[in-house]
Amino acid sequence: MAVERQGGSERRALFESTASQLFEEIASVGGVEVDDPLLEQDRAATDLLIELGLLSLDGTRYVVVDPHSVQAAVVAPLGLQGAQLINESSHWAQAFTSLGHAYRRSPSTDDGPITRLRGDQIDRFLADVVPSAQSELLTAQPQSGHSSAALKEAGRRDVAALQRGVSMRTIYQHAARRNRATRAYVSKISAEGGEVRTLDEFFNRLIVVDRQVAIIPAGDDLDIALAIRDTALVAYLVDIFERFWNRGRPFASSETSVMKGIAEEQRAMAIRMLVEGHADATCAKRLGVSPRTYAGYVAELKEEYDAQTRFQLGYRMGLQQAKARKKS
């Protein structure tokens, strides 16, 4: 499709008004038949949506297509025309962002309410959907797997969102407090109004954008993620996030009572993992620490309980807990 056909202030004006309204109406009902009177109310708007690829023929029905998959073909060439088209490109991008929200609210899309993302698709999706946030970002991140470069890039992206007026809340594990790159990231976003708390343990990675789309890993395979647009599932994940958020401790707090509580929670978690007989690698992951750090925890507990082996340590701790329950 030629750039000249894509651009133009008249076409963009039609796109922002009548065509966008038509897209939202079709999205709200999950598609329409080809002979639906709605398509003939303004034929120019209908033809524009079809030409841009925002309406796709599925049998005898027209269904909406994800605006993010079409946006690059329209917006990027406009930006290449030079400085005089920069403002025009911005208008198109804003219009597509508006349609993206309508798409995520739609009960029926080409991909359905859940899209499976693999490998680089995950980063591309996040790079597209996170900057489109209009009101709120919720994230839950385990400590492991974040490089300094990744945190710096996330800091730039998240600061830009906060400066647009988007509220942001993030949950880490307690162990994140000891990571220099994470502390630098938290300092940067906190200065812009972002909030960060930590927990002894919480659910896996989660990102929720405007309570309309959620991104979670597909099981233990971090190379596969699920983008969820189903409103009931997103609301369920938000409810889980809120419960853990209420239990979390502010990242920036260094009060003695807070730090003592964190140390006690981490110790209690380590003891529970040992008593339940989990492998060291599993325990370290649940605590958000390296295997070496976890081995240090175990060594300290062995000394405290005068135990020579992990089996003996688990037995003695379990026996002590049983006695404590009996007394209470």
Side-chain angles (χ1 to χ4, degrees):
M1 186 185 302
V3 172
E4 289 78 5
R5 297 183 62 204
Q6 294 173 10
S9 59
E10 293 182 1
R11 286 164 55 78
R12 190 249 303 160
L14 175 63
F15 180 72
E16 287 181 318
S17 55
T18 311
S20 292
Q21 183 178 355
L22 177 60
F23 180 98
E24 292 179 2
E25 291 179 13
I26 296 174
S28 69
V29 296
V32 296
E33 295 292 330
V34 294
D35 58 354
D36 193 297
L38 180 64
L39 299 174
E40 298 299 326
Q41 290 182 6
D42 189 328
R43 195 62 214 183
T46 300
D47 291 341
L48 179 59
L49 291 177
I50 294 173
E51 180 183 337
L52 293 175
L54 288 166
L55 287 184
S56 174
L57 190 60
D58 183 11
T60 62
R61 292 170 57 80
Y62 275 112
V63 295
V64 292
V65 175
D66 189 347
H68 291 302
S69 66
V70 180
Q71 178 176 342
V74 175
V75 178
L78 288 171
L80 295 175
Q81 291 183 21
Q84 70 275 19
L85 290 178
I86 291 178
N87 186 53
E88 188 70 23
S89 175
S90 176
H91 282 297
W92 278 96
Q94 291 173 6
F96 270 104
T97 296
S98 176
L99 295 192
H101 294 303
Y103 177 82
R104 290 193 287 272
R105 292 193 298 267
S106 173
S108 175
T109 67
D110 279 352
D111 295 327
I114 300 177
T115 302
R116 186 175 292 267
L117 306 169
R118 296 176 180 272
D120 294 341
Q121 290 179 329
I122 301 173
D123 291 334
R124 289 198 298 269
F125 185 86
L126 290 175
D128 183 50
V129 73
V130 173
S132 74
Q134 298 296 304
S135 59
E136 181 184 58
L137 283 170
L138 306 176
T139 63
Q141 299 281 5
Q143 170 59 17
S144 60
H146 296 286
S147 66
S148 297
L151 284 170
K152 286 181 180 179
E153 178 60 30
R156 287 191 289 269
R157 179 196 65 204
D158 295 343
V159 164
L162 289 163
Q163 290 175 344
R164 292 200 315 271
V166 177
S167 68
M168 180 181 296
R169 287 183 289 158
T170 299
I171 301 176
Y172 283 111
Q173 288 171 281
H174 287 327
R177 294 169 178 267
R178 295 190 293 271
N179 184 277
R180 181 180 300 176
T182 302
R183 290 200 303 269
Y185 164 80
V186 172
S187 177
K188 184 179 296 185
I189 67 167
S190 296
E192 299 293 340
E195 298 181 77
V196 182
R197 295 184 181 181
T198 63
L199 279 173
D200 52 350
E201 182 186 14
F202 63 96
F203 50 89
N204 212 326
R205 285 181 173 86
L206 168 68
I207 298 175
V208 182
V209 181
D210 292 337
R211 305 202 177 199
Q212 293 182 359
V213 59
I215 302 94
I216 62 173
D220 293 331
D221 189 349
L222 298 182
D223 286 331
I224 303 177
L226 302 178
I228 301 171
R229 291 181 294 273
D230 183 271
T231 54
L233 286 176
V234 173
Y236 177 80
L237 292 170
V238 170
D239 179 66
I240 293 175
F241 179 94
E242 295 290 1
R243 293 171 187 269
F244 282 106
W245 179 261
N246 291 334
R247 285 181 47 220
R249 298 177 181 272
F251 193 103
S253 177
S254 58
E255 296 179 6
T256 302
S257 58
V258 172
M259 301 310 294
K260 181 179 179 181
I262 289 173
E264 290 174 350
E265 289 173 1
Q266 288 187 296
R267 171 187 165 85
M269 175 66 69
I271 291 175
R272 194 175 83 206
M273 295 292 98
L274 283 166
V275 172
E276 292 176 357
H278 295 288
D280 286 1
T282 300
C283 296
K285 182 178 180 180
R286 296 276 296 271
L287 282 166
V289 299
S290 68
R292 177 178 296 181
T293 298
Y294 179 74
Y297 291 167
V298 174
E300 291 175 1
L301 289 169
K302 282 181 178 179
E303 182 176 352
E304 179 180 341
Y305 283 86
D306 192 23
Q308 301 300 316
T309 66
R310 287 183 75 256
F311 177 80
Q312 188 179 37
L313 175 61
Y315 174 79
R316 291 186 177 181
M317 289 190 299
L319 186 62
Q320 185 181 79
Q321 290 182 358
K323 289 180 178 179
R325 286 194 296 269
K326 186 175 181 180
K327 288 182 179 179
S328 61

